[in-house]
Amino acid sequence: MMLPSLTTAFSFLLLSNVVTASQILKTNGFSSCLDGASITVQKADIEYNNDNKTVIFNVAGTSTKSINVTAQLNVTAYGKSVYQNSFNPCDSTTFVQQLCPVPVGQFSATGEQAIPSEYADLIPSIAFSIPDIAAQATLELKALDSGENVACISSTVENGKTVALPAVTYVAAGVAGAALVLTGLSAIGAAAGGGTTGGAGTMSPSFTDVITTMQGFAMNGMMSVNMPPVYRSFAKNFGFSTGLIPWGQMQTAIDNFREKTGGNTTADSFQTLKNTTLIYTDGSTLSRRDLGLMLRDEFLTAVNSTTDSTNTTSSDSTLSKTVSGIQAYVEQLSVPQSNTFMTVLLIVAIVIAAIVVGVLLFKVILETWSLFGSFPKSLVGFRKHYWGTMARSIVQLILVLYGVVVLYCIFQFTHGDSWAAQTLAGITLATFTGVLAFFGWKIWQTARKLKQVDGDASGLYDRKEHWLKYSLFYDSYKKDFWWLFVPVIVYMFAKGCVLAAADGHGLSQTIGQLVIECVMLGLLIWNRPYERRSGNVITIFIQVVRALSVVCILVFVEELGIAQTTQTVTGVVLIAVQSVLTGVLAILIAANAIILCCKENPHRKRRKELEKMNRDLDNLTPLDARNSLLMDLSKVPNVGNDPKHPLMKQNSEDSFMREPANPYSGATPLREYRNMGPIESQENLVSGAAPLGGRAQSPPGAPRQQQPTIPNLNMPGYAGYRGQTY
């Protein structure tokens, strides 16, 4: 019969890797492959259960005439034809009553049939365990008398196994959350110490590294190429990192907003998407059932029943559309393409509000605590600089999300339909870019002034006022590479622009992304800019994976005509590589949590040591030397006449170190006076003055002045002053 033949065909589809799973094969959505067909199929669900060897089928549609048909079933797996068969629904061996003949008007057929063992035994066990199989089943109906095609449908075959699992998303979100907690704790500790980053900035991988890596995985899945189903499902797991979070009520609210501001919600809305089957460029489909938006409908057998059939098929009739690129990615997450930007904007607004509320709540807790007792001194800094922590967190969020904001804003400009959403996209892009440009200009201006005065820009790290304001942009880098944050921002901007502007042009997208990734990789390898060696190794490794990912995606480009089997194998390799990277990041985050407790930020450590040294040297006096002669001068920074250390204690020939009465007069001076202009002029005023007695350098002819002498009291009982103690 027809259904055993279909089930047998499914058995030849899955001949690859093994994953233990339940024994189910079923169709997933369908699309019409014949224009102007006299028979319109509105529903086609077929499911084979290998446990009880039965097939459950449910077919519904309409026909303009009563006709006897023959069915041609063609099944392809990974681009290759694996099964073909013809059968007649009126034949005794493949008899289907409701389709013999196909009636005029609406019809539906549903039932359950047992599969003979000779067909069931042909199905290998691995057929039920391969996740996201790339298989298509095409059913053509032809008129028995003329051979004319009267209907054609194509459906994806699946076994219920996929790598798009909630557990994968939860693990990925957990890794990102652990990085966020680690960074947040270090930020709180930094605020407690006066607002510094407290060492988290130079730890790799940081939250920024982790979340941008996951954003890269998601953006790979947005490219307009012939994506294998297995990798498409894998990339879907990282949509949360780009702000795409399925939320039905939010989508409905955005639809209402768009409708009031010029949007076309009839063609593109959340309600429309619920009833739409997505057809990808490789021919695979995604039905509303897999979107999780509707429960499986139940049908009763009815032949040419106007009332019952109308009620049945009207609820089952679905739309279908071909999708690719960014639209395909966002709509599989139940986000209409016209709602994409507004969804991300609202999620970002919620996160910013959470940051503000969280910081203010902690501030209130500290103030309440102070009313009833004293809290740890380590929290005094946060209490005083809570606003700085809030501002730093928001700017950090802008930096982390800049690439995806650029992507979605440009996508809104090219695909949006609401003037209000377009305006908000322009404001958002200008705001994000303006904030980063402002800080970039301020850092460059500060570095320029420091170079004019000190000779280099190390004051960005050594001076606390600069470190507190700007270090979130460069705290991971060496002092000579403070500027690297600028290429990083340009890199994120370029990725978002290329991906959004070239949407629908897979080859252009891929080549552009490959060039960008390779340039960034070359910059990192050439400079190795990170303060810690581990930072260089980890960041270069992440960038290598990004570049290799784009190389793999090049295999998916349709214009290159690479076989689907090769594409699927490449997709599996890509999943393995990116999964390994995610696991490595998780392990390193755990290791950093331990290191953070034991090791301090090297920039902050050096600055603190220098500040302590300056305080100690400024307080030295002849009567309170505090064992300065025992100080290991090799550990003192070699400042010499270095103008970057104006607070170091200075000595000259007229200082106390040259006094004969000074018991430390033989000690080595700490440093020479340096020429500072106004100070030198004051010294010249003193050194050029006339001696007290007027002997040595008095002008010629000047009257001799009285010299100071020791008073001679010449009183009885005193022999004058002889230097004795009183």
Side-chain angles (χ1 to χ4, degrees):
M1 61 180 62
M2 174 184 67
L3 299 178
S5 301
L6 182 61
T7 307
T8 303
F10 291 167
S11 66
F12 292 99
L13 304 180
L14 313 172
L15 301 173
S16 191
N17 300 322
V18 179
V19 179
T20 303
S22 61
Q23 307 290 292
I24 296 292
L25 293 175
K26 59 184 177 181
T27 59
N28 174 17
F30 69 94
S31 61
S32 176
C33 47
L34 178 65
D35 294 332
S38 58
I39 298 177
T40 302
V41 178
Q42 298 173 331
K43 184 177 183 64
D45 286 338
I46 303 172
E47 179 178 307
Y48 169 70
N49 189 328
N50 193 50
D51 293 332
N52 54 20
K53 304 297 188 296
T54 59
V55 166
I56 301 174
F57 62 92
N58 192 337
V59 179
T62 60
S63 176
T64 59
K65 59 183 178 179
S66 177
I67 185 173
N68 288 316
V69 298
T70 59
Q72 176 72 39
L73 179 64
N74 299 293
V75 181
T76 60
Y78 301 105
K80 295 183 179 181
S81 178
V82 296
Y83 182 81
Q84 291 183 349
N85 189 23
S86 298
F87 56 90
N88 186 345
C90 296
D91 190 81
S92 59
T93 58
T94 57
F95 181 72
V96 180
Q97 180 181 358
Q98 295 87 355
L99 301 179
C100 181
V102 176
V104 178
Q106 297 178 344
F107 65 89
S108 65
T110 183
E112 178 177 329
Q113 296 182 355
I115 302 299
S117 59
E118 60 266 24
Y119 292 104
D121 293 341
L122 295 176
I123 304 175
S125 59
I126 62 172
F128 303 95
S129 57
I130 302 175
D132 296 294
I133 57 176
Q136 295 289 319
T138 301
L139 181 64
E140 295 178 297
L141 299 181
K142 298 182 179 181
L144 185 60
D145 52 358
S146 64
E148 178 187 2
N149 286 339
V150 294
C152 179
I153 60 171
S154 177
S155 177
T156 298
V157 179
E158 66 175 24
N159 55 16
K161 304 303 173 292
T162 177
V163 295
L165 298 172
V168 178
T169 302
Y170 297 152
V171 170
V175 173
L180 177 61
V181 170
L182 184 64
T183 305
L185 290 177
S186 61
I188 293 176
T196 60
T197 55
T202 55
M203 303 291 281
S204 292
S206 64
F207 172 70
T208 301
D209 296 328
V210 173
I211 201 67
T212 52
T213 298
M214 294 181 179
Q215 288 173 355
F217 297 165
M219 294 170 76
N220 289 340
M222 297 181 187
M223 300 183 71
S224 302
V225 295
N226 193 13
M227 199 80 63
V230 64
Y231 185 72
R232 184 191 306 122
S233 298
F234 175 79
K236 175 184 175 182
N237 295 318
F238 301 95
F240 72 92
S241 65
T242 65
L244 295 175
I245 299 177
W247 189 352
Q249 293 179 341
M250 175 185 289
Q251 298 306 318
T252 302
I254 295 174
D255 286 338
N256 295 334
F257 173 78
R258 287 177 44 231
E259 186 177 13
K260 296 177 181 178
T261 56
N264 183 1
T265 56
T266 302
D268 189 20
S269 67
F270 180 65
Q271 188 64 34
T272 301
L273 182 60
K274 290 197 301 182
N275 298 319
T276 300
T277 296
L278 305 180
I279 306 173
Y280 298 103
T281 54
D282 63 347
S284 60
T285 58
L286 182 67
S287 69
R288 55 185 177 173
R289 174 180 55 199
D290 289 313
L291 294 175
L293 302 174
M294 294 188 69
L295 297 175
R296 190 176 188 272
D297 295 323
E298 297 181 356
F299 287 86
L300 298 176
T301 301
V303 180
N304 201 20
S305 175
T306 305
T307 304
D308 294 340
S309 331
T310 302
N311 295 335
T312 299
T313 57
S314 61
S315 61
D316 296 323
S317 59
T318 62
L319 303 173
S320 63
K321 62 179 177 181
T322 301
V323 294
S324 65
I326 299 174
Q327 179 185 8
Y329 188 86
V330 300
E331 292 194 348
Q332 70 176 336
L333 292 169
S334 304
V335 178
Q337 68 164 344
S338 299
N339 290 10
T340 303
F341 166 73
M342 290 300 301
T343 300
V344 176
L345 180 62
L346 291 177
I347 294 297
V348 172
I350 291 172
V351 174
I352 292 177
I355 291 174
V356 174
V357 172
V359 173
L360 292 179
L361 179 61
F362 193 53
K363 166 70 172 175
V364 171
I365 292 174
L366 291 182
E367 294 297 335
T368 305
W369 192 349
S370 65
L371 296 177
F372 298 95
S374 60
F375 50 82
K377 293 183 179 180
S378 59
L379 298 177
V380 173
F382 176 86
R383 182 186 181 189
K384 182 178 180 181
H385 300 283
Y386 71 96
W387 53 268
T389 301
M390 183 190 303
R392 285 176 64 90
S393 300
I394 294 175
V395 174
Q396 185 76 43
L397 179 67
I398 292 175
L399 181 61
V400 168
L401 296 179
Y402 184 63
V404 296
V405 166
V406 171
L407 165 67
Y408 291 134
C409 286
I410 296 179
F411 184 73
Q412 176 66 31
F413 296 151
T414 56
H415 293 79
D417 58 1
S418 167
W419 62 264
Q422 303 276 50
T423 303
L424 288 174
I427 295 174
T428 302
L429 182 59
T431 301
F432 274 59
T433 304
V435 169
L436 297 181
F438 169 78
F439 277 96
W441 176 76
K442 291 293 292 184
I443 294 172
W444 176 84
Q445 187 181 50
T446 302
R448 182 171 174 270
K449 292 180 180 179
L450 290 172
K451 288 181 179 179
Q452 291 176 348
V453 176
D454 301 341
D456 59 34
S458 60
L460 291 172
Y461 297 81
D462 298 334
R463 298 188 180 181
K464 190 173 183 178
E465 64 273 15
H466 301 324
W467 177 263
L468 296 179
K469 292 180 182 178
Y470 311 125
S471 63
L472 67 92
F473 288 92
Y474 56 77
D475 60 355
S476 297
Y477 307 133
K478 299 175 184 177
K479 291 183 178 181
D480 293 336
F481 296 99
W482 59 269
W483 48 266
L484 195 71
F485 74 93
V486 176
V488 170
I489 294 175
V490 174
Y491 162 79
M492 292 188 291
F493 180 82
K495 283 188 65 176
C497 280
V498 169
L499 187 59
D503 185 45
H505 305 279
L507 184 60
S508 301
Q509 273 185 332
T510 307
I511 293 176
Q513 295 282 16
L514 183 59
V515 170
I516 294 170
E517 299 293 358
C518 289
V519 169
M520 191 63 188
L521 177 61
L523 181 65
L524 292 176
I525 294 176
W526 180 263
N527 293 303
R528 294 187 294 277
Y530 286 82
E531 176 68 20
R532 290 192 172 119
R533 181 179 301 176
S534 60
N536 287 314
V537 173
I538 294 169
T539 307
I540 291 175
F541 175 60
I542 292 174
Q543 192 60 34
V544 167
V545 172
R546 289 173 177 168
L548 290 178
S549 297
V550 180
V551 172
C552 291
I553 290 175
L554 192 62
V555 177
F556 307 152
V557 175
E558 188 175 2
E559 289 85 343
L560 300 182
I562 297 177
Q564 191 173 6
T565 52
T566 304
Q567 293 179 342
T568 302
V569 172
T570 303
V572 173
V573 172
L574 190 54
I575 290 174
V577 172
Q578 294 182 347
S579 298
V580 168
L581 176 58
T582 304
V584 170
L585 293 179
I587 294 173
L588 292 174
I589 289 171
N592 284 344
I594 300 174
I595 295 174
L596 183 63
C597 301
C598 309
K599 195 170 184 179
E600 192 178 13
N601 185 309
H603 298 308
R604 185 178 185 236
K605 182 179 179 180
R606 285 194 290 267
R607 180 172 53 77
K608 290 295 184 181
E609 290 176 350
L610 183 59
E611 290 177 355
K612 184 177 183 299
M613 187 70 66
N614 290 341
R615 288 194 300 267
D616 290 343
L617 294 177
D618 286 341
N619 294 333
L620 287 178
T621 65
L623 300 179
D624 184 16
R626 294 195 300 278
N627 296 325
S628 60
L629 292 178
L630 301 178
M631 183 181 298
D632 186 2
L633 297 180
S634 64
K635 297 182 179 179
V636 179
N638 184 18
V639 290
N641 293 323
D642 189 353
K644 298 193 297 295
H645 303 278
L647 299 179
M648 297 295 293
K649 194 68 177 179
Q650 302 167 352
N651 300 282
S652 63
E653 294 184 358
D654 60 342
S655 68
F656 70 89
M657 295 296 291
R658 303 299 184 184
E659 293 290 340
N662 180 19
Y664 305 104
S665 59
T668 302
L670 292 178
R671 64 178 290 175
E672 296 289 337
Y673 264 113
R674 56 188 176 88
N675 188 353
M676 295 185 64
I679 297 179
E680 180 182 10
S681 64
Q682 295 175 9
E683 293 173 353
N684 291 337
L685 289 175
V686 177
S687 61
L692 294 176
R695 294 179 178 179
Q697 300 178 358
S698 299
R704 183 182 180 85
Q705 297 181 1
Q706 179 67 33
Q707 299 295 318
T709 60
I710 302 298
N712 187 3
L713 301 179
N714 293 325
M715 296 180 65
Y718 295 91
Y721 176 71
R722 293 183 176 86
Q724 297 93 335
T725 58
Y726 294 161

